[in-house]
Amino acid sequence: MAPSSRPSPTAVDKALHVLRCVRELEEDATFTLIARRSGLAKATAHRMLAALERHGEVWRDPHDRYHVTRGADDEARATLVLTAVPHLLRLHSAVRQPSSLAVLDAADVVYLTTLCDEPGLALVRRTARRASAHRTMAGRLLLAFDDKAARHAYDRAGLSEADRRALRHEAVLARREHVLIGRPSDAEGVFAAAALVPATAHFPSAAVVAGGPEGRVAPEPLRRVVLGTALAVRRALSPP
């Protein structure tokens, strides 16, 4: 009996192979190196990268390096949200302003859950809003603890050296205090505080964040209650 021939790789096989190459090359994942490592023709490698980028599996920075989009495990995220929601409810009751739990995903921040009031409605829970990390308080706090993600975020946004210096200085304060308070650049007239829930063996780092219109929130009480909420979530995730 003649030996069976190996099936030709499908487009999905090639795309997954290219994705592995991007992951293995890490900081050096230029198109030329990806094509060389994959062993595919340049035209094929280009098509696979374009498809992966279109579907959000990879993203490209301003220096034309590719990066794998990093997402936390779905089960871990779900458990994180279920653990945090009772504490976010207490936070929302205390500040009467939108209260959220957020995590990093590559150069973005994803709000896993947000509790907010809407006119004529009871408390509403929203999920999965995404924003550029460096433009939000939650994102800037989380980037302070992830230098690699911070570089990616700053490169993707094309930030000036002056803006990078300002964010690096802010990150030093964030690492010392585990909390940031100020004005996010993605929302005018808003004052917010974000506090860190450190990563554990089973859960990614997260940020508890709350805020509202300037003049309606008192900075120091907001800082204390957000920090206390993050500490409560951390304790709930790591019971004795």
Side-chain angles (χ1 to χ4, degrees), residues 118-150:
E118 289 194 356
L121 297 174
L123 186 66
V124 174
R125 179 174 160 189
R126 301 191 179 282
T127 59
R129 183 172 73 86
R130 179 179 291 265
S132 296
H134 75 284
R135 293 178 57 81
T136 71
M137 297 309 295
R140 280 151 51 186
L141 175 70
L142 292 169
L143 290 175
F145 293 87
D146 191 331
D147 290 339
K148 185 176 179 181

Side-chain angles (χ1 to χ4, degrees), residues 23 25 98 122 204 208 217:
R23 184 177 290 113
L25 286 165
V208 170
V217 291

